[in-house]
Amino acid sequence: MGTAQPRVLVPEGDIGRRIRELAATIERDYAGADEIVLLGVLRGAFIFLADLARALSIPRRIDFIALSSYENGSNYAGGVRLIMDSRINVTGRHVLIVEDILDSGRTLSYLMETFEARHPASLKCCVLVRKPTQEVQIEVDYLGFDIPDDWVVGYGLDFGDHYRALPYIGVVDPAEEEKPG
Ligand code: IMP
Ligand code: MG
């Protein structure tokens, strides 16, 4: 696994351009804010967050959280749990959650709920790519790209922990590699 070359879906140059556009919009929206907290979701968002953070010039702090999916059973949170919390106390701060991908919507809705409960000054989300349909409806404040319902890799996104360091977003051919359970 991890040997086949994924087909290019979003080229490196397009990602860079889009991030500069997103950064310009974010800077405009937060012009009055003293500081924002960029909260990256490990591990998939690490490259996106690194590039977005450097494209911004407003005062910003960077923190990370990590999640795990429940193996079985369901709970109100939709099968997601926080396994590494933020180190910054977000109460009263402007928080921007930075996530790699919106698929079912469970992860992001769990995160929005969890961080809203901590009473930030504001809470928004920035997502690199969005698949066509969500089980849980969720508003994305800043979106990179809408993509088809394929398993995508690269630019932080993985397939069985492979391909994260690819500079572009690609699609793994399902004929060559089985989608992980
Ligand atoms: P959700 O279904 O919206 O909760 O997304 C759950 C998580 O699944 C995302 O944060 C990603 O880590 C992962 N994921 C979903 N679709 C893909 C994909 O196409 N490639 C890589 N990771 C994915
Ligand atoms: Mg993720």
Side-chain angles (χ1 to χ4, degrees):
M1 123 145 18
T3 49
Q5 194 68 5
R7 167 172 63 81
V8 177
L9 182 68
V10 187
E12 188 177 359
D14 290 11
I15 299 172
R17 261 192 302 280
R18 188 72 190 118
I19 286 175
R20 287 190 293 277
E21 289 173 3
L22 288 174
T25 306
I26 290 168
E27 293 197 341
R28 215 176 41 235
D29 292 354
Y30 289 94
D34 50 338
E35 180 184 76
I36 68 172
V37 177
L38 299 171
L39 208 53
V41 184
L42 293 175
R43 286 171 282 177
F46 81 114
I47 293 178
F48 181 38
L49 176 59
D51 284 348
L52 182 67
R54 289 180 295 175
L56 289 167
S57 57
I58 52 172
R60 58 221 182 274
R61 296 174 71 178
I62 293 163
D63 203 353
F64 290 97
I65 51 180
L67 296 168
S68 171
S69 301
Y70 283 115
E71 293 285 304
N72 48 29
S74 56
N75 69 347
Y76 80 99
V80 181
R81 107 192 124 96
L82 209 52
I83 57 167
M84 188 188 89
D85 208 338
S86 63
R87 304 200 329 170
I88 297 171
N89 177 1
V90 301
T91 303
R93 297 184 191 278
H94 295 284
V95 177
L96 181 60
I97 293 175
V98 180
E99 173 65 314
D100 53 0
I101 188 164
L102 181 61
D103 185 6
S104 72
R106 289 174 193 281
T107 303
L108 208 50
S109 66
Y110 167 75
L111 286 176
M112 295 301 275
E113 231 173 78
T114 300
F115 282 88
E116 195 61 73
R118 298 178 185 184
H119 307 292
S122 70
L123 180 65
K124 290 188 183 185
C125 60
C126 180
V127 175
L128 180 61
V129 291
R130 176 171 64 188
K131 290 193 181 180
T133 47
Q134 281 76 53
E135 291 164 33
V136 184
Q137 275 330 109
I138 179 132
E139 290 285 316
V140 176
D141 298 288
Y142 305 100
L143 176 68
F145 304 93
D146 274 308
I147 59 164
D149 194 13
D150 291 318
W151 193 265
V152 290
V153 297
Y155 201 73
L157 290 151
D158 77 306
F159 175 88
D161 222 22
H162 290 275
Y163 301 114
R164 287 194 199 276
L166 274 184
Y168 61 92
I169 297 169
V171 176
V172 185
D173 183 356
E176 295 198 38
E177 310 203 36
E178 289 280 288
K179 181 174 166 175

